[in-house]
Amino acid sequence: MENTKKIPCLDLAGQHQAIKKEIFEAFEKVYEKTAFSGGPFVEEFENSYAKFIGADYCVGVSNGTTALHLAMLALGIGQGDEVIIPANTFIATAWGVSHAGATPVFVDCDETWNMDPTKIEAAITPKTKAVIGVHLYGQPFDVDGIKAICSKHQLFLVEDAAQAQGARYRNKTVGVFGDIACYSFYPGKNLGACGEAGGLTTNNEKYFLHLRSLRNHGSTVRYYHDEIGFNYRMGGLEGASLSVKLKYLEGWNNRRREIAARYQAEIVNPKIRMQVKPEWADGIYHLFVITAENKEELVKHLSENNILAAYHYPVPCHLQKAYAHLKYTVGSFPNAEYLASHCISLPMYPELTDNEVSQVISTINSF
Ligand SMILES: *Cc1c(COP(=O)(O)O)cnc(C)c1O
């Protein structure tokens, strides 16, 4: 064994060392201006992020979960409404719906491990107001397929692009297909702040103005409150760190694509399955998830070879205790359940070296 250094699933240290000087210079500017909450550094990021996505407007908020919550409120979704979301996603997609007082209705995934468009119509009821599509692991969902159903039934479409910043669907950056798109800038995401942050983009001016007010105590004029609002602002230090990192995002994403392409081409073990990638999907591989029938043995084999795997996600949303009252059972969504019990996330971050990638590949092929 030529390398005894452990290879983690995600390591943020390399990236933050490389840009430390630039980030600290940005922090210093925020500090000098004491622009700690919202303000010019958040606005600067909002403007460049809207441009990056190709959307008219961007609103920076405190995290991805509050972004989803506000998206529901801006669309007028609340008590008594239902919102369709995938069973296979990070739980925060469902929190956005629940925090608005509405009910999440789950739908199974297909072999792309994203929401199966053919299963959506069966979940629609007179109470359904919207679908939240999730570009999971960084791979776009079937936008045309899901949009067609939303149009037919007059449902809003919200994109949860928390894991997919810079991913492309039919050559267009995701985040411009729904009524509103939500992003997380949690440090572990493919664009992460030095702190907690999130955002929304939209082309609808009415939603934009409402979102801006909602995040700031329901206020557009200081100390005048038009409705019950929230303190969901983004911090200035977070905004400044994001502006620095956004310049590197395309390069980091391309390195992720390079690593993924090697995993896809060079992992040849028939015991392993991967996310099916339709020809219109150009993902950014926030995560690289595989499944193995005998998952425990593979994890042991990986760890014996100094590779630390992780699980995204071990329990599907519909079987979480928090949603026991919705009365889903084991067997409700077989694909999401299979994935939850067999998924392993391989190391994936731009700073992985070619040697480390080779080590992951040869370890899996020798299993
Ligand atoms: C991370 C994530 C969120 C929530 O973002 P936070 O910033 O952690 O609140 C929402 N949806 C998905 C798919 C995510 O991966």
Side-chain angles (χ1 to χ4, degrees):
M1 206 174 304
E2 78 273 22
N3 188 354
T4 51
K5 197 183 130 234
K6 297 224 185 299
I7 307 177
C9 188
L10 172 65
D11 183 4
L12 295 177
Q15 180 173 106
H16 286 87
Q17 278 309 319
I19 59 171
K20 181 172 171 182
K21 190 162 164 285
E22 238 182 305
I23 293 267
F24 275 48
E25 279 165 13
F27 284 169
E28 189 149 17
K29 286 189 197 147
V30 178
Y31 201 91
E32 292 303 324
K33 280 207 157 132
T34 63
F36 298 121
S37 176
F41 297 96
V42 171
E43 272 167 43
E44 187 188 333
F45 172 68
E46 287 170 335
N47 292 334
S48 39
Y49 197 71
K51 217 168 279 160
F52 172 77
I53 295 296
D56 290 345
Y57 308 104
C58 172
V59 178
V61 293
S62 49
N63 58 63
T65 308
T66 56
L68 285 154
H69 180 193
L70 291 191
M72 296 296 104
L73 298 183
L75 296 173
I77 292 166
Q79 202 87 46
D81 295 332
E82 293 176 356
V83 177
I84 292 173
I85 71 169
N88 179 43
T89 180
F90 179 58
I91 194 69
T93 311
W95 292 159
V97 178
S98 294
H99 291 173
T103 304
V105 173
F106 300 107
V107 165
D108 208 356
C109 53
D110 58 21
E111 73 283 352
T112 67
W113 298 349
N114 273 319
M115 185 154 52
D116 183 345
T118 68
K119 301 215 171 98
I120 293 177
E121 279 191 307
I124 296 175
T125 77
K127 293 177 178 172
T128 310
K129 289 289 179 320
V131 175
I132 305 179
V134 182
H135 304 294
L136 198 69
Y137 312 136
Q139 178 169 301
F141 61 78
D142 181 356
V143 172
D144 287 346
I146 292 182
K147 259 187 114 151
I149 295 162
C150 289
S151 306
K152 182 174 161 198
H153 297 271
Q154 294 186 303
L155 306 176
F156 294 115
L157 174 63
V158 172
E159 290 173 75
D160 181 341
Q163 303 190 358
Q165 306 178 62
R168 296 185 202 99
Y169 172 82
R170 297 193 191 280
N171 299 318
K172 247 172 133 174
T173 303
V174 302
V176 295
F177 300 110
D179 296 281
I180 298 178
C182 300
Y183 310 86
S184 165
F185 306 120
Y186 173 76
K189 298 291 158 79
N190 72 307
L191 173 63
C194 298
E196 297 273 357
L200 307 97
T201 59
T202 181
N203 289 336
N204 181 311
E205 189 186 19
K206 192 182 91 193
Y207 298 153
F208 167 65
L209 295 173
H210 195 187
L211 290 166
R212 271 216 308 205
S213 165
L214 282 168
R215 79 165 165 190
N216 188 32
H217 301 295
S219 166
T220 48
V221 178
R222 203 166 200 187
Y223 304 126
Y224 291 80
H225 305 278
D226 307 326
E227 64 182 313
I228 295 172
F230 302 84
N231 177 0
Y232 282 175
R233 291 179 301 250
M234 186 191 285
L237 292 166
E238 283 78 5
S241 68
L242 285 167
S243 288
V244 171
K245 287 186 168 194
L246 183 58
K247 294 183 289 182
Y248 295 97
L249 183 59
E250 210 43 47
W252 288 335
N253 283 347
N254 285 335
R255 175 62 183 155
R256 288 175 182 275
R257 289 179 171 114
E258 219 171 80
I259 296 165
R262 284 199 57 197
Y263 282 162
Q264 286 158 343
E266 297 175 44
I267 292 175
V268 291
N269 189 329
K271 298 190 197 96
I272 302 304
R273 282 171 50 203
M274 296 180 186
Q275 185 176 24
V276 169
K277 181 177 116 48
E279 99 294 333
W280 40 255
D282 178 18
I284 51 79
Y285 303 95
H286 166 60
L287 298 168
F288 197 95
V289 176
I290 62 170
T291 62
E293 206 45 66
N294 34 6
K295 162 175 151 169
E296 303 308 327
E297 285 167 53
L298 176 55
V299 170
K300 189 162 160 273
H301 176 71
L302 286 167
S303 118
E304 282 164 2
N305 288 278
N306 296 307
I307 295 161
L308 306 176
Y311 310 106
H312 300 90
Y313 299 92
V315 180
C317 294
H318 66 288
L319 298 179
Q320 295 287 353
K321 209 162 146 194
Y323 287 120
H325 60 283
L326 298 179
K327 308 271 187 245
Y328 291 97
T329 56
V330 173
S332 293
F333 304 114
N335 295 341
E337 289 163 25
Y338 180 88
L339 205 53
S341 47
H342 297 87
C343 64
I344 300 170
S345 300
L346 299 184
M348 176 53 85
Y349 49 96
E351 296 73 24
L352 276 172
T353 65
D354 289 342
N355 277 340
E356 287 170 330
V357 175
S358 299
Q359 194 184 326
V360 174
I361 291 164
S362 64
T363 302
I364 292 189
N365 285 340
S366 70
F367 171 61

